Amino acid sequence: MASAPHDTAPDPGPVPAPAPRPLDGIRVLALEQMQAAPFATLMLARLGAEVIKVESPSGESGRAARPAVLDASGRPAGATFLRYNLGKRSIAVDLKSERGRDLVHGLSRSCDVVVENLGPGRAARLGLGYPHVSAEHPSVVYLSITGFGADGASPYADWPAYAGVAEAMSGIYEHARRPGQPPVINPMGGLGDTGSGLFGVIGVLAALRQREHTGRGQLVDVAMFDAMVAICDIVPNFWSLGVRRDADPDGETGSDAGLRMPYILSAFQVGGRWCYIQVSREHQFERLARLLDRESWLSDPRFADRFGWHDHWPDVIRPALEQWSKDMSALTAAGHLAEAGITAAPCNSAEDVVGDPHLAQRNMLVPIPRTDGPAEPVLVAGNPVKLSEAPELPETAPPLVGQDTRTVLTELLRLPPHDLDALEAAGVIAAPDLDRRT
């Protein structure tokens, strides 16, 4: 029998289509800026939604953040914008013009979800608030993220709100403040923004699910202050249980007294670095005492209750930990503590995070190639939601200002090229030259 020719590869057959993602077919119109709403729509995009971002012709305010890079059109693209706008389409429309507002209103009728965080009452003043959009599109799910609620009833309704406003008012800054020290502001970047965005995603998904039953959309109203109180619920909860600054065991009173906690939640130095540790249960304290060869602590009256752990952390427990770990790295010390069943972790530097093998294995740092010279890419956080039946697709770079203006208006509003040219000439819309369609 003749042998098969060696220069002919077998036909692999048709390439399988990518697995569908949960929000395939859902279209989102995003009247957004900075971080809270852009983070929410980023998560929706990663779940499969088509996100159309509406920007002014000069670009949304997140592009003006620093540090920044120059994008392919030569415009600055700030760090805030780069982090939260992967996989989106951008249209540039002047919402100050009546024709621009009409265009966006028309687009909203072909979208399942509208998201806005333009500031207190601005969407309503533009005629793009929930009542205006839902009047012609009752099945729309409309997410509004504001500092203090969409209904305007809060005494702070007119305040501008960045993440730090909601974080500060939640009480967590004062709760965590050390005696004699000012509060540490924005200790986790924009937690007030990302936390609000996450609650927004939950609300949108719930409203889409309810729409399947009722056929009607609804307003999803997320206040950043509410979101931070929910995330930092330890503050009012512990206060109601008597953990207060005026409850110091030594009789110190006043707002600058320390909070006496029934646990260890702190850090110790090891190898010139810091290592976090938490001991909040008796069996954990017993494990720590045995690991440090301090079994006498288990019968020491100073440690008869959990408050004693807190009281004697600086003078007894922390020095013992630092003596035990003096020849270790922070990662090694944390590993030994973890093996003993004690919660601990190294306090990583930025370089540690960038080089962490866990993050590399789970694709949690996404490189965005730069177009302005430097070879090293910009790194942004990847998608933390891993779905077994919807493998991750490659991320696409954040869009240029108005990169998709003409294609979106052609696809969804059926505007012919001459109308687009006239709108662009009048300054109602904008698009980079590379997107020009004639």
Side-chain angles (χ1 to χ4, degrees):
M1 182 169 59
S3 60
H6 294 288
D7 58 349
T8 302
D11 183 357
V15 178
R21 293 183 293 169
L23 296 184
D24 280 350
I26 296 295
R27 181 179 293 134
V28 178
L29 187 67
L31 311 174
E32 60 182 20
Q33 60 182 340
M34 293 299 288
Q35 186 167 333
F39 179 78
T41 57
L42 171 64
M43 292 303 299
L44 295 173
R46 284 172 163 168
L47 293 173
E50 174 193 358
V51 177
I52 300 170
K53 181 183 184 74
V54 179
E55 304 189 62
S56 72
S58 60
E60 66 112 323
S61 55
R63 292 184 185 266
R66 296 293 182 270
V69 302
L70 292 180
D71 64 24
S73 69
R75 291 187 175 192
T80 302
F81 176 80
L82 293 172
R83 292 198 303 273
Y84 304 114
N85 290 284
L86 284 75
K88 300 180 185 180
R89 308 174 80 183
S90 168
I91 64 169
V93 180
D94 181 9
L95 294 180
K96 295 178 181 178
S97 74
E98 183 177 359
R99 183 66 176 119
R101 294 192 294 273
D102 288 344
L103 290 173
V104 173
H105 207 291
L107 290 173
S108 72
R109 290 194 288 270
S110 63
C111 293
D112 301 277
V113 180
V114 173
V115 177
E116 73 87 13
N117 72 327
L118 297 179
R122 182 160 183 249
R125 291 193 295 273
L126 292 171
L128 296 169
Y130 176 66
H132 308 91
V133 174
S134 63
E136 297 183 18
H137 185 12
S139 64
V140 72
V141 171
Y142 191 108
L143 168 61
S144 176
I145 300 179
T146 60
F148 303 100
D151 60 7
S154 170
Y156 321 113
D158 295 332
W159 288 20
Y162 280 178
V165 171
E167 293 168 17
M169 295 182 72
S170 77
I172 198 63
Y173 288 175
E174 181 65 11
H175 177 87
R177 185 178 60 80
R178 300 296 186 237
Q181 298 293 320
V184 177
I185 304 300
N186 275 143
M188 288 177 280
L191 179 63
D193 283 322
T194 55
S196 301
L198 284 173
F199 285 120
V201 171
I202 293 169
V204 166
L205 296 179
L208 288 172
R209 176 61 172 152
Q210 188 170 15
R211 188 177 72 174
E212 294 177 5
H213 298 293
T214 66
R216 295 191 59 81
Q218 61 187 292
L219 172 65
V220 179
D221 176 7
V222 175
M224 295 167 65
F225 189 10
D226 299 354
M228 281 306 300
V229 169
I231 292 171
C232 303
D233 59 351
I234 189 175
V235 175
N237 178 251
F238 271 36
W239 182 90
S240 71
L241 292 167
V243 179
R244 305 180 185 183
R245 288 192 178 273
D246 59 1
D248 187 273
D250 297 324
E252 185 178 2
T253 59
S255 62
D256 207 35
L259 286 174
R260 188 178 184 230
M261 297 295 191
Y263 47 67
I264 295 169
L265 181 62
S266 194
F268 62 96
Q269 284 193 297
V270 46
R273 303 287 294 276
W274 290 93
C275 187
Y276 147 85
I277 184 171
Q278 180 171 345
V279 176
S280 51
R281 301 290 186 271
E282 283 72 15
H283 69 275
Q284 295 167 344
F285 183 74
E286 180 178 343
R287 291 169 181 170
L288 179 63
R290 297 189 190 283
L291 179 66
L292 302 184
D293 197 23
R294 297 293 200 279
E295 293 191 17
S296 62
W297 289 355
L298 303 179
S299 57
D300 190 322
R302 293 177 298 177
F303 305 125
D305 64 26
R306 297 178 186 179
F307 286 101
W309 309 341
H310 174 275
D311 296 342
H312 295 286
W313 162 256
D315 62 327
V316 178
I317 302 174
R318 177 178 160 181
L321 259 172
E322 293 180 341
Q323 175 62 29
W324 165 78
S325 62
K326 61 184 176 61
D327 297 322
M328 303 178 192
S329 69
L331 183 62
T332 299
H336 287 314
L337 289 162
E339 289 172 5
I342 301 161
T343 304
C347 295
N348 282 342
S349 67
E351 291 79 7
D352 295 327
V353 174
V354 169
D356 192 278
H358 165 95
L359 299 177
Q361 187 268 330
R362 291 179 64 83
N363 193 34
M364 277 307 301
L365 292 176
V366 176
I368 302 175
R370 294 184 63 163
T371 58
D372 57 350
E376 190 170 85
V378 175
L379 297 177
V380 300
N383 184 5
V385 179
K386 310 297 184 184
L387 299 175
S388 64
E389 295 300 317
E392 292 184 23
L393 299 179
E395 301 267 17
T396 59
L400 304 177
V401 177
Q403 180 172 317
D404 306 285
T405 302
R406 297 175 71 96
T407 54
V408 167
L409 295 179
T410 299
E411 291 171 6
L412 301 186
L413 298 184
R414 301 291 188 265
L415 294 184
H418 60 83
D419 282 359
L420 296 173
D421 292 341
L423 289 167
E424 191 167 359
V428 175
I429 65 172
D433 289 342
L434 56 86
D435 185 60
R436 194 65 54 93
R437 300 287 191 267
T438 58

